Amino acid sequence: MKAENEQRAGLLYGFGAYGMWGLVPLFWPLLKPAGAIEILAHRMVWSLGVVGILLLAMRRWGWIRELLRQPRKLGLTALAASVISVNWGLYIWAVNNGAVVEASLGYFINPLVTIAIGVLVLGERLRRAQWAAVGIGVAAVLVLAIGYGRPPWISLVLAFTFAAYGLIKKKLNMGGVESLAAETALLFLPALGYLLWLGTQGRLSFASEGLGHSALLASTGLVTAIPLVCFGAAAIRVPLSTLGLLQYLAPVFQFALGVVYFHEAMPPERWAGFSLVWAALALLTWDALRTARKTRAEAARLASARAAGPAASAAPAPEPEPA
């Protein structure tokens, strides 16, 4: 029962995280004229403030001493911080430079990359349908590369960095607030130093574009921390394959915003590539649902067998028949 409750909570956290990420392209353009790196630095600085308040409210501090005593875990935290900073910065740049659709592609192919990492790093075995989905995904990338006239680098970097981040979070096995606090603490000084340097150069937009703009830059802490806390909580409660299924939510919203709201171009070859990706995801979803149904049926059969076992053993032994 406890495991079921944990998995149910993980699913809710996952829905919350990916739903918020799906709508975030509406936010980053509001921060112009700040550049992508300045926005990234603000994310790092203000996120630490938000998680610091959360830790004060929850009175969770013991994990800090434990983390500092484990060099391997501290190193993984630093790696997670580096990987997610690349993901953050590139995504902000993509949204503010008219590449919302290509950025959404990164999160469409992320489940396929997550599956591939599960095979290569965790030694997971793929079913035939999963192999077929990965193959279709590779074909989709090739079609899109031909359409763009170049590989979809934004999509690929976003997909691989976020899949790697999910794997690292899985290995860290820390709470959502604690892991985000550790990552932002490691990023805080470099980010603050960059903002101070921008200020000395007269290029810092914070406090120079009005109170409303400054408030929006400060709110990057909330925009960053809340979905990442939800993601971190989901990552330690549900399997990596389930996270891959939940990831469909964010790119669906992002793609719709890119086409409908931002009016980005979708030539036929781009539709063809996206259609292949969606076919691969549909195959993955069908396979996951089928496998889950079989697993539940097998669990029910075993439970019935265990329930019948004691009754059968308690029944009196039959009298021997006369010779």
Side-chain angles (χ1 to χ4, degrees):
M1 178 62 71
K2 184 179 179 181
E4 290 180 4
N5 289 337
E6 283 288 293
Q7 186 156 0
R8 189 176 298 112
L11 287 173
L12 291 176
Y13 281 124
F15 278 118
Y18 289 113
M20 287 182 278
W21 277 322
L23 297 175
V24 81
L26 297 173
F27 179 71
W28 302 125
L30 302 177
L31 304 183
K32 293 178 179 180
I37 300 180
E38 181 185 348
I39 297 172
L40 174 62
H42 278 289
R43 291 188 77 173
M44 297 172 181
V45 170
W46 295 107
S47 294
L48 181 60
V50 172
V51 293
I53 293 171
L54 289 174
L55 289 172
L56 279 172
M58 295 185 296
R59 299 181 180 179
R60 291 185 188 172
W61 303 106
W63 62 271
I64 298 177
R65 185 177 301 174
E66 181 183 348
L67 178 62
L68 293 175
R69 289 176 177 173
Q70 301 180 61
R72 180 180 177 276
K73 202 167 187 177
L74 189 60
L76 283 174
T77 303
L79 182 59
S82 301
V83 169
I84 200 59
S85 65
V86 173
N87 186 278
W88 288 351
L90 180 60
Y91 187 78
I92 295 167
W93 182 91
V95 170
N96 285 354
N97 284 271
V100 176
V101 169
E102 187 175 352
S104 75
L105 175 64
Y107 294 105
F108 273 124
I109 65 175
N110 180 246
L112 302 172
V113 174
T114 301
I115 288 173
I117 287 180
V119 173
L120 297 174
V121 179
L122 302 180
E124 296 178 356
R125 296 177 63 113
L126 295 188
R127 296 178 292 275
R128 281 181 292 182
Q130 291 175 311
W131 278 117
V134 172
I136 295 171
V138 172
V141 171
L142 292 175
V143 170
L144 288 164
I146 294 171
Y148 279 109
R150 56 170 176 79
W153 293 117
I154 293 174
S155 308
L156 294 172
V157 174
L158 288 174
F160 276 93
T161 52
F162 203 73
Y165 181 69
L167 174 64
I168 297 167
K169 297 282 275 193
K170 194 80 173 176
K171 288 184 174 293
L172 279 170
N173 196 29
M174 292 174 63
V177 177
E178 293 87 345
S179 61
L180 181 58
E183 292 160 22
T184 51
L186 291 171
L187 296 170
F188 178 80
L189 287 179
L192 181 61
Y194 178 74
L195 292 176
L196 293 174
W197 177 79
L198 280 182
T200 63
Q201 301 296 308
R203 295 161 50 194
L204 184 68
S205 68
F206 187 79
S208 65
E209 298 291 328
L211 185 60
H213 186 261
S214 298
L216 284 172
L217 284 171
S219 68
T220 56
L222 290 171
V223 171
T224 299
I226 294 174
L228 272 175
V229 167
C230 291
F231 174 77
I236 62 173
R237 287 175 169 85
V238 299
L240 209 58
S241 57
T242 303
L243 282 180
L245 292 175
L246 290 175
Q247 286 170 11
Y248 299 168
L249 287 176
V252 165
F253 290 147
Q254 293 166 8
F255 177 82
L257 287 172
V259 175
V260 177
Y261 182 81
F262 292 103
H263 305 292
E264 294 185 14
M266 281 294 293
E269 61 273 12
R270 203 168 296 175
W271 279 113
F274 271 86
S275 297
L276 284 172
V277 171
W278 295 331
L281 296 181
L283 182 59
L284 278 182
T285 303
W286 169 79
D287 179 69
L289 293 174
R290 183 189 63 169
T291 303
R293 190 160 46 246
K294 286 183 177 179
T295 302
R296 286 195 299 268
E298 180 65 16
R301 187 188 66 79
L302 291 174
S304 299
R306 283 195 297 268
S313 60
E319 292 291 332
E321 295 181 3

